[in-house]
Amino acid sequence: MTPLLEARGVTRVIGGEQPTTLVAGVDFAVAPGEFVAITGPSGSGKSSLLYLLGLLDTPTAGEVLVNGRTTKGLDEEARARLRLSQLGFVFQFHFLLPEFSALENVALPMRALGRLDDAQMRRRSFDILSSLGLADHAHKRPDQMSGGQRQRVAIARALANEPLVILADEPTGNLDTQSSAQVLSIMRGLVGETPAAGRKAVVIVTHDLDLAARADRRVHIVDGKIAAFESAAR
Amino acid sequence: MSLVLSIALTHVRARARQTLVGVIGVATGVGFSVMMAALMEGSQRDFVTQLVDALPHVSVTDQRREPPRQPAEGLFDMVEIRGLSTPATRPGIKNPYAIMASIEAWSPGAVAPSVQSKAVLRFAGRDTAASVIGVDPRREIGVSKLATHIVKGSLDDLYKTSNAIILGDGLARKIGARVGNSITLVGGAGRTLSANVVALSHSGVNQIDEQQSYTLIKTAQILAGQTGLVNEIRIKTLDAMDARDVAARVERETGYKSVSWLEANEDLLSAFQIRNFIMFAVVGAILLVASFGTYNIISTITHEKTRDIAIMKSIGLPARIVRRIFVLEGLIIGALGLLAGWLLGFVLSWAMGQIEFKSPFMDATRLPILYSPLHYVIAGAVALAASAVAGYFPARKAASVQPVDIIRGAS
């Protein structure tokens, strides 16, 4: 089966006179329906690897493949298009546009992609929000919602264009225990439960051992290198 | 509504106070530019109109651009001529009525003869020098506004009595004469003539009103002591701008010096070109200053929105879309400022037009204003272009934001 996301010898070095290696020669693949947790100490390169996998950053060496196709040599416009259509992001901070309602924030990637008309976009945005228990908050702005609600809106936005892979960087890092559990449950539910979801994968960077324990596979990073792979019995 | 427009509108709406400042900046620039252009071009047009109305479009005089060749110059290869003196009297235009008929045959408009002479006007012990212009009242109506400048009596009153004269009202005041008085004219050759004041004229230009008087052609010829003299033919063309061509053709065909109003005022007209250049430079500077305000506002919004830009780019919005959002924000501010500026410009122009302007050389008048759609279009186009440029540079910076740098910093 073709991996949805694959890193082949991915290395990222930054800096001029005293270069720092963030990620060193990582080989790593994410299969459809997989829930992968990337763990490791602070500064180990977890987030850097996630940004490279999410085409937000460009490897110094190696390549990233999305759905079996290399992204090497793609210009910024093509990479943006791939992010928009195939990848969804959830960050530690919700990063919602403050002047827009939850519904408008969720519709933003759909509007950028332009596959649906206005009515379809509104309906789909509302359906996603409803499925995450936010139907009553669809017309609220981010500052009118709680932290957990905002993060769920961010997840809804990540799902807007039916991406192949959801990439999440510490999505529960700023949340209380109850909200964290809710967000984790939602993200866990994104893979494997329905035929459509079975095509998706989730890659999550976390410090949270409980969250990591619920992943299908854990990838432990130390000093930019994969130190261990660990599969969990589901 | 497109994504770019909706984000741009949301940004400018959310920053209402900053947007208002930007709009006021552009509006002030556009408003004052429109007002300045209306005032400058209005005064220019007014001046040219007065010039064109006051003077004949073409003046054919009994002079030649080059002195006529002496008969001896045609007979010998080398000739030295000494002791030539200018004639004491003006030669006059030969066959003036034949020339006028010829001009009328090909030039639509009006043609009138006149006799230009000088005299001393004497009344009640007061003397003053003045121009006495012999005119044909029936033809004069076609080439000048003298008939409309008569304030007491009429131009046709010149026919009512022998040796009738019309005085400029300033001239009449100088010698203390009124309509009905008999004054004495002393011509250049010392000929004395008694003339009856039948009317007063008022052109509004003091220099004319204090120095000019009008008689029938015959009276002026008697005063000059030259029967049949006509030393100027004046032509009014249908289109004032044809004057240069008409003058050239008349001079070519008659040999007499023909000067169009354009040629006579060439120095003034070229001064207008310099004035227009200065005007456009000032207007451009005003709009440029206004665009700095727009630049500042878009820069501030871009700076404040760095995180939003990062997230939009991380989601997958291409850099060109991000760039368009901020250029559009500049254009929205520019467009709002433009509309407000048009209104401001119109109100300012109207207000300036209400100001009474008094000159010692002319009658009290209001500032001349030209309401031209072109001024609004030019000011608007420059303001929009300046706003787009003012938005472009911050937009380019916004588009170059690396989402990873911002996301790392915020996490």
Side-chain angles (χ1 to χ4, degrees), chain A residues 43 70 102 134 188 198 223:
Chain A
T70 183
L134 292 167
R188 191 71 194 93
D223 293 337

Side-chain angles (χ1 to χ4, degrees), chain B residues 138-267:
Chain B
R138 290 190 193 91
R139 286 182 172 270
E140 191 66 21
I141 295 167
V143 298
S144 81
K145 291 203 164 179
L146 179 60
T148 62
H149 291 161
I150 303 295
V151 287
K152 275 185 183 167
S154 75
L155 186 59
D156 285 341
D157 289 346
L158 285 176
Y159 293 118
K160 285 185 179 168
T161 176
S162 61
N163 295 345
I165 188 166
I166 296 171
L167 300 180
D169 60 353
L171 181 61
R173 234 183 345 264
K174 263 164 77 176
I175 59 171
R178 293 179 183 174
V179 172
N181 289 151
S182 179
I183 63 169
T184 304
L185 307 180
V186 182
R191 283 175 189 79
T192 305
L193 201 70
S194 181
N196 296 307
V197 180
V198 292
L200 299 180
S201 71
H202 177 82
S203 69
V205 180
N206 285 1
Q207 200 181 358
I208 293 173
D209 296 334
E210 289 184 355
Q211 288 185 5
Q212 290 190 354
S213 62
Y214 306 89
T215 64
L216 288 178
I217 283 186
K218 195 176 173 184
T219 309
Q221 286 169 341
I222 293 168
L223 191 65
Q226 288 178 271
T227 312
L229 172 75
V230 168
N231 52 23
E232 187 182 20
I233 293 172
R234 287 174 293 158
I235 304 168
K236 197 92 171 178
T237 52
L238 284 185
D239 181 352
M241 300 315 287
D242 291 341
R244 204 185 286 273
D245 294 339
V246 170
R249 179 164 172 185
V250 171
E251 185 161 332
R252 202 167 52 242
E253 290 182 357
T254 66
Y256 287 115
K257 186 178 176 183
S258 303
V259 178
S260 68
W261 70 274
L262 291 156
E263 185 188 346
N265 298 285
E266 210 140 22
D267 50 345

Side-chain angles (χ1 to χ4, degrees), chain A residues 48 77 83 95 99 111, chain B residues 1 305 313 320 408:
Chain A
S48 299
E77 177 105 13
R83 282 202 298 275
F95 275 136
E99 296 94 351
R111 295 179 72 180
Chain B
M1 195 190 298
K305 289 286 164 199
K313 287 191 78 177
R320 67 186 157 81
R408 273 186 202 282

Side-chain angles (χ1 to χ4, degrees), chain B residues 257-300:
Chain B
K257 186 178 176 183
S258 303
V259 178
S260 68
W261 70 274
L262 291 156
E263 185 188 346
N265 298 285
E266 210 140 22
D267 50 345
L268 262 178
L269 295 174
S270 47
F272 280 139
Q273 283 183 337
I274 296 169
R275 206 174 81 134
N276 283 343
F277 177 78
I278 293 169
M279 176 186 82
F280 283 117
V282 171
V283 166
I286 293 172
L287 290 170
L288 185 69
V289 171
S291 72
F292 280 121
T294 309
Y295 173 83
N296 257 340
I297 286 150
I298 304 297
S299 285
T300 308

Side-chain angles (χ1 to χ4, degrees), chain A residues 120-208:
Chain A
Q120 288 171 320
M121 281 190 272
R122 284 186 73 81
R123 198 164 47 244
R124 177 165 166 73
S125 304
F126 192 78
D127 288 348
I128 300 171
L129 285 170
S130 298
S131 70
L132 299 178
L134 292 167
D136 294 340
H137 304 278
H139 298 290
K140 288 183 181 170
R141 286 200 315 270
D143 61 354
Q144 295 167 320
M145 290 187 278
S146 70
Q149 287 165 342
R150 287 178 207 160
Q151 199 62 314
R152 278 187 279 157
V153 175
I155 294 171
R157 184 180 61 192
L159 293 170
N161 285 336
E162 296 186 82
L164 294 174
V165 185
I166 303 284
L167 298 147
D169 189 5
E170 303 274 12
T172 59
N174 280 339
L175 301 180
D176 57 43
T177 315
Q178 193 185 350
S179 297
S180 292
Q182 207 172 10
V183 166
L184 176 61
S185 165
I186 291 165
M187 300 205 72
R188 191 71 194 93
L190 293 176
V191 291
E193 286 177 8
T194 63
R199 278 285 302 152
K200 279 192 182 62
V202 172
V203 179
I204 195 162
V205 164
T206 184
H207 276 111
D208 187 336

